Amino acid sequence: LRMYHRKPYMNSPTQPGPTPCRPLHRSPWKKGILALLLAALAWLIYAQVRLPSIYNGGDNLWTVPTALNVARHGRYDLEPYREAITRQPAENVWINNLDLDPRVVTTNGRPLIFHPAGVVFAVLPMVTAYTLWHPPEADPLAEAIALTPRLAHLVAALSVGLLFLLLLEVGASWKQ
């Protein structure tokens, strides 16, 4: 006795039909490469933009200096910047005494950043990579001020790549 086997439909759940090529949303490595290329392009564009010096006068003023101190010395304080901040001309910064800065609290005689440590530890990998190739400068505050716009450009470019990945995932979920 011969058994006949019915062919499943092309779009049946047991055997989906053939696809001529793998779409982008099913190739994670392609998405990653495209996101990195887009982030690199964004970084090249952002690197041409000069940020004004006023950008670093708010709550984030001590974020990069604290991360630099953690990367270079393993300490989460602002002591290396005490002398440097007093040498700043009053017209360049709105405060030139570390003890009078409301963004800094003193605990056990050590000046610490008042704001949460999350942002410091978020930029710490990038700051650590910077410290591997750059020796410490004589003025740590000038080094931190020069590093801050570079980090801002890098974070903005990486966020473009991450946004691209997010949009790909949302678009792929809407197609299904």
Side-chain angles (χ1 to χ4, degrees), residues 10 16-23 26:
M10 289 301 284
T19 55
C21 64
R22 285 185 85 181
R26 292 189 185 168

mmCIF file with all atom_site columns, all heavy atoms in Angstrom, residues 10 16-23 26:
data_model
loop_
_atom_site.group_PDB
_atom_site.id
_atom_site.type_symbol
_atom_site.label_atom_id
_atom_site.label_alt_id
_atom_site.label_comp_id
_atom_site.label_asym_id
_atom_site.label_entity_id
_atom_site.label_seq_id
_atom_site.pdbx_PDB_ins_code
_atom_site.Cartn_x
_atom_site.Cartn_y
_atom_site.Cartn_z
_atom_site.occupancy
_atom_site.B_iso_or_equiv
_atom_site.pdbx_formal_charge
_atom_site.auth_seq_id
_atom_site.auth_comp_id
_atom_site.auth_asym_id
_atom_site.auth_atom_id
_atom_site.pdbx_PDB_model_num
ATOM 1  N N   . MET A 1 10 ? 2.837  26.755 1.354  1.00 0.00 ? 10 MET A N   1
ATOM 2  C CA  . MET A 1 10 ? 4.099  27.509 1.396  1.00 0.00 ? 10 MET A CA  1
ATOM 3  C C   . MET A 1 10 ? 4.263  28.299 2.687  1.00 0.00 ? 10 MET A C   1
ATOM 4  O O   . MET A 1 10 ? 5.360  28.465 3.168  1.00 0.00 ? 10 MET A O   1
ATOM 5  C CB  . MET A 1 10 ? 4.172  28.470 0.209  1.00 0.00 ? 10 MET A CB  1
ATOM 6  C CG  . MET A 1 10 ? 4.376  27.788 -1.114 1.00 0.00 ? 10 MET A CG  1
ATOM 7  S SD  . MET A 1 10 ? 5.887  26.830 -1.152 1.00 0.00 ? 10 MET A SD  1
ATOM 8  C CE  . MET A 1 10 ? 7.076  28.115 -1.324 1.00 0.00 ? 10 MET A CE  1
ATOM 9  N N   . PRO A 1 16 ? 7.942  26.981 6.637  1.00 0.00 ? 16 PRO A N   1
ATOM 10 C CA  . PRO A 1 16 ? 7.769  28.257 5.937  1.00 0.00 ? 16 PRO A CA  1
ATOM 11 C C   . PRO A 1 16 ? 8.377  28.193 4.546  1.00 0.00 ? 16 PRO A C   1
ATOM 12 O O   . PRO A 1 16 ? 9.256  27.381 4.269  1.00 0.00 ? 16 PRO A O   1
ATOM 13 C CB  . PRO A 1 16 ? 8.508  29.254 6.826  1.00 0.00 ? 16 PRO A CB  1
ATOM 14 C CG  . PRO A 1 16 ? 9.462  28.434 7.597  1.00 0.00 ? 16 PRO A CG  1
ATOM 15 C CD  . PRO A 1 16 ? 8.864  27.063 7.736  1.00 0.00 ? 16 PRO A CD  1
ATOM 16 N N   . GLY A 1 17 ? 7.875  29.048 3.707  1.00 0.00 ? 17 GLY A N   1
ATOM 17 C CA  . GLY A 1 17 ? 8.370  29.091 2.340  1.00 0.00 ? 17 GLY A CA  1
ATOM 18 C C   . GLY A 1 17 ? 9.784  29.630 2.274  1.00 0.00 ? 17 GLY A C   1
ATOM 19 O O   . GLY A 1 17 ? 10.282 30.265 3.206  1.00 0.00 ? 17 GLY A O   1
ATOM 20 N N   . PRO A 1 18 ? 10.481 29.361 1.184  1.00 0.00 ? 18 PRO A N   1
ATOM 21 C CA  . PRO A 1 18 ? 11.869 29.824 1.064  1.00 0.00 ? 18 PRO A CA  1
ATOM 22 C C   . PRO A 1 18 ? 11.932 31.340 0.917  1.00 0.00 ? 18 PRO A C   1
ATOM 23 O O   . PRO A 1 18 ? 11.042 31.957 0.345  1.00 0.00 ? 18 PRO A O   1
ATOM 24 C CB  . PRO A 1 18 ? 12.370 29.124 -0.189 1.00 0.00 ? 18 PRO A CB  1
ATOM 25 C CG  . PRO A 1 18 ? 11.135 28.871 -0.989 1.00 0.00 ? 18 PRO A CG  1
ATOM 26 C CD  . PRO A 1 18 ? 10.017 28.655 0.007  1.00 0.00 ? 18 PRO A CD  1
ATOM 27 N N   . THR A 1 19 ? 12.981 31.896 1.450  1.00 0.00 ? 19 THR A N   1
ATOM 28 C CA  . THR A 1 19 ? 13.205 33.328 1.287  1.00 0.00 ? 19 THR A CA  1
ATOM 29 C C   . THR A 1 19 ? 14.412 33.507 0.380  1.00 0.00 ? 19 THR A C   1
ATOM 30 O O   . THR A 1 19 ? 15.428 32.822 0.547  1.00 0.00 ? 19 THR A O   1
ATOM 31 C CB  . THR A 1 19 ? 13.474 34.029 2.634  1.00 0.00 ? 19 THR A CB  1
ATOM 32 O OG1 . THR A 1 19 ? 14.552 33.381 3.273  1.00 0.00 ? 19 THR A OG1 1
ATOM 33 C CG2 . THR A 1 19 ? 12.246 33.988 3.515  1.00 0.00 ? 19 THR A CG2 1
ATOM 34 N N   . PRO A 1 20 ? 14.347 34.391 -0.587 1.00 0.00 ? 20 PRO A N   1
ATOM 35 C CA  . PRO A 1 20 ? 15.455 34.545 -1.531 1.00 0.00 ? 20 PRO A CA  1
ATOM 36 C C   . PRO A 1 20 ? 16.721 35.104 -0.894 1.00 0.00 ? 20 PRO A C   1
ATOM 37 O O   . PRO A 1 20 ? 17.812 34.783 -1.306 1.00 0.00 ? 20 PRO A O   1
ATOM 38 C CB  . PRO A 1 20 ? 14.901 35.487 -2.589 1.00 0.00 ? 20 PRO A CB  1
ATOM 39 C CG  . PRO A 1 20 ? 13.738 36.156 -1.956 1.00 0.00 ? 20 PRO A CG  1
ATOM 40 C CD  . PRO A 1 20 ? 13.227 35.251 -0.898 1.00 0.00 ? 20 PRO A CD  1
ATOM 41 N N   . CYS A 1 21 ? 16.608 35.956 0.112  1.00 0.00 ? 21 CYS A N   1
ATOM 42 C CA  . CYS A 1 21 ? 17.776 36.493 0.792  1.00 0.00 ? 21 CYS A CA  1
ATOM 43 C C   . CYS A 1 21 ? 17.391 36.807 2.227  1.00 0.00 ? 21 CYS A C   1
ATOM 44 O O   . CYS A 1 21 ? 16.216 36.957 2.543  1.00 0.00 ? 21 CYS A O   1
ATOM 45 C CB  . CYS A 1 21 ? 18.311 37.734 0.090  1.00 0.00 ? 21 CYS A CB  1
ATOM 46 S SG  . CYS A 1 21 ? 17.157 39.093 0.104  1.00 0.00 ? 21 CYS A SG  1
ATOM 47 N N   . ARG A 1 22 ? 18.382 36.889 3.085  1.00 0.00 ? 22 ARG A N   1
ATOM 48 C CA  . ARG A 1 22 ? 18.103 37.201 4.482  1.00 0.00 ? 22 ARG A CA  1
ATOM 49 C C   . ARG A 1 22 ? 17.907 38.697 4.614  1.00 0.00 ? 22 ARG A C   1
ATOM 50 O O   . ARG A 1 22 ? 18.792 39.475 4.269  1.00 0.00 ? 22 ARG A O   1
ATOM 51 C CB  . ARG A 1 22 ? 19.265 36.781 5.365  1.00 0.00 ? 22 ARG A CB  1
ATOM 52 C CG  . ARG A 1 22 ? 19.323 35.289 5.565  1.00 0.00 ? 22 ARG A CG  1
ATOM 53 C CD  . ARG A 1 22 ? 20.391 34.967 6.526  1.00 0.00 ? 22 ARG A CD  1
ATOM 54 N NE  . ARG A 1 22 ? 19.828 35.097 7.866  1.00 0.00 ? 22 ARG A NE  1
ATOM 55 C CZ  . ARG A 1 22 ? 20.522 34.892 8.956  1.00 0.00 ? 22 ARG A CZ  1
ATOM 56 N NH1 . ARG A 1 22 ? 21.771 34.563 8.887  1.00 0.00 ? 22 ARG A NH1 1
ATOM 57 N NH2 . ARG A 1 22 ? 19.958 35.003 10.126 1.00 0.00 ? 22 ARG A NH2 1
ATOM 58 N N   . PRO A 1 23 ? 16.757 39.119 5.119  1.00 0.00 ? 23 PRO A N   1
ATOM 59 C CA  . PRO A 1 23 ? 16.576 40.559 5.323  1.00 0.00 ? 23 PRO A CA  1
ATOM 60 C C   . PRO A 1 23 ? 17.469 41.076 6.434  1.00 0.00 ? 23 PRO A C   1
ATOM 61 O O   . PRO A 1 23 ? 17.992 40.319 7.237  1.00 0.00 ? 23 PRO A O   1
ATOM 62 C CB  . PRO A 1 23 ? 15.099 40.691 5.674  1.00 0.00 ? 23 PRO A CB  1
ATOM 63 C CG  . PRO A 1 23 ? 14.620 39.326 5.986  1.00 0.00 ? 23 PRO A CG  1
ATOM 64 C CD  . PRO A 1 23 ? 15.599 38.347 5.452  1.00 0.00 ? 23 PRO A CD  1
ATOM 65 N N   . ARG A 1 26 ? 17.095 40.177 10.185 1.00 0.00 ? 26 ARG A N   1
ATOM 66 C CA  . ARG A 1 26 ? 17.437 38.833 10.651 1.00 0.00 ? 26 ARG A CA  1
ATOM 67 C C   . ARG A 1 26 ? 18.947 38.611 10.692 1.00 0.00 ? 26 ARG A C   1
ATOM 68 O O   . ARG A 1 26 ? 19.395 37.516 10.977 1.00 0.00 ? 26 ARG A O   1
ATOM 69 C CB  . ARG A 1 26 ? 16.788 37.791 9.747  1.00 0.00 ? 26 ARG A CB  1
ATOM 70 C CG  . ARG A 1 26 ? 15.286 37.795 9.880  1.00 0.00 ? 26 ARG A CG  1
ATOM 71 C CD  . ARG A 1 26 ? 14.701 36.646 9.157  1.00 0.00 ? 26 ARG A CD  1
ATOM 72 N NE  . ARG A 1 26 ? 13.248 36.738 9.206  1.00 0.00 ? 26 ARG A NE  1
ATOM 73 C CZ  . ARG A 1 26 ? 12.456 36.014 8.475  1.00 0.00 ? 26 ARG A CZ  1
ATOM 74 N NH1 . ARG A 1 26 ? 12.950 35.123 7.644  1.00 0.00 ? 26 ARG A NH1 1
ATOM 75 N NH2 . ARG A 1 26 ? 11.159 36.158 8.572  1.00 0.00 ? 26 ARG A NH2 1
#
